[in-house]
C-alpha cells in the first residue's frame, strides 16, 4: 500500500489482514467467502474476488459490505480500471464489467486465468494456470489476438509488464 502496509489474503480463514511495515497486524477484514485477488481502493475500501461465492465484494474498513456484484463463475482476481470498470478473471475468461455486473468486453477460451491487468497500451496481460504444466503468460490486444506469450509455465498465477529501462533481476542464491 502507499503507506508501506501490506495486505494479505487468508484463503481458508476467509480474511484479509493488513500489516504495517514492521509486521504488526493493523486490521483484519472478514470476507464472506474464500478471497482471491483483492485491491485497496482510494476511498479506503477493499475490493475482493470471492471465489466460492461467485461474487465481487467491496468491504468498508469496518468489514461491512459496501457493494456486491454476482458473477457467472468463480472469480480469481479483480482490478479497478482507469475508466472505473472492473477487470475480472473468471474460470475460462477475463471480463471487463461495469459495477452493475454488465459485461462490456471479454476474452473467452482461456485456461484458468488467475490474474489479469490492463496495460497502458490497452492490451491485457493474463496469467493462466493451465493444466499439467500448460500455464502461460499472455498479452492480448482488444480483439483477443495474442501479441506476446510465454508457454509451458507451471501454475502461472501472476504476470506483470515492467516499464522499459528496468534492469533485469539479479539471481540470488539462498543457503538453507
Amino acid at each position: 500500500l502507499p503507506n508501506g502496509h501490506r495486505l494479505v489474503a487468508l484463503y481458508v480463514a476467509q480474511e484479509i489482514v493488513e500489516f504495517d511495515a514492521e509486521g504488526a497486524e493493523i486490521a483484519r477484514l472478514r470476507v464472506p467467502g474464500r478471497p482471491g485477488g483483492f485491491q485497496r481502493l482510494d476511498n479506503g475500501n477493499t475490493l475482493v474476488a470471492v471465489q466460492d461465492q461467485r461474487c465481487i465484494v467491496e468491504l468498508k474498513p469496518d468489514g461491512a459490505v459496501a457493494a456486491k456484484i454476482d458473477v457467472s463463475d468463480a472469480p480469481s482476481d479483480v482490478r479497478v480500471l482507469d475508466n472505473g470498470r472492473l477487470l475480472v478473471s473468471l474460470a475460462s475468461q477475463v471480463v471487463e464489467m461495469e459495477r452493475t455486473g454488465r459485461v462490456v468486453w471479454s476474452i473467452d477460451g482461456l485456461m484458468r486465468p488467475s490474474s489479469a491487468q490492463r496495460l497502458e497500451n490497452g492490451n491485457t496481460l493474463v496469467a493462466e494456470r493451465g493444466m499439467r504444466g500448460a500455464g502461460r503468460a499472455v498479452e492480448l490486444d482488444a480483439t483477443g489476438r495474442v501479441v506476446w506469450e510465454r508457454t509451458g509455465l507451471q501454475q502461472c498465477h501472476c504476470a506483470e509488464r515492467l516499464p522499459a529501462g528496468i534492469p533485469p533481476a539479479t539471481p540470488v542464491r539462498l543457503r538453507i
Side-chain angles (χ1 to χ4, degrees):
L1 299 175
N3 64 2
H5 291 188
R6 279 80 168 170
L7 289 179
V8 177
L10 304 178
Y11 185 79
V12 174
Q14 300 181 15
E15 296 175 321
I16 303 277
V17 183
E18 182 175 345
F19 297 97
D20 68 13
E22 288 74 40
E25 184 176 313
I26 300 300
R28 188 174 287 258
L29 292 174
R30 182 80 178 145
V31 178
R34 302 205 184 268
F38 56 87
Q39 181 180 9
R40 177 62 53 85
L41 304 176
D42 290 341
N43 66 4
N45 291 352
T46 304
L47 193 65
V48 184
V50 185
Q51 294 182 331
D52 61 329
Q53 300 301 310
R54 294 184 175 202
C55 67
I56 306 296
V57 294
E58 183 176 334
L59 300 174
K60 294 180 180 180
D62 66 1
V65 175
K68 179 183 176 193
I69 304 167
D70 293 318
V71 294
S72 63
D73 211 332
S76 57
D77 193 30
V78 60
R79 299 284 165 215
V80 176
L81 299 172
D82 290 341
N83 61 14
R85 294 180 179 152
L86 305 178
L87 189 64
V88 182
S89 300
L90 299 169
S92 64
Q93 65 182 169
V94 171
V95 299
E96 180 178 334
M97 67 173 49
E98 295 175 343
R99 288 181 179 257
T100 62
R102 186 176 78 85
V103 173
V104 297
W105 175 87
S106 68
I107 297 174
D108 301 315
L110 297 173
M111 184 66 78
R112 298 172 60 207
S114 57
S115 68
Q117 70 171 269
R118 183 64 45 80
L119 303 174
E120 286 184 18
N121 64 7
N123 292 347
T124 302
L125 183 62
V126 179
E128 292 179 290
R129 289 186 305 261
M131 300 287 282
R132 297 183 197 94
R136 71 176 175 161
V138 60
E139 183 177 329
L140 304 135
D141 68 13
T143 68
R145 183 179 64 87
V146 174
V147 296
W148 179 91
E149 72 179 331
R150 175 64 194 249
T151 61
L153 303 174
Q154 190 81 351
Q155 292 290 315
C156 182
H157 281 272
C158 189
E160 184 173 341
R161 166 84 83 77
L162 298 174
I166 299 291
T170 303
V172 177
R173 294 180 190 224
L174 299 177
R175 285 194 203 196
I176 298 177

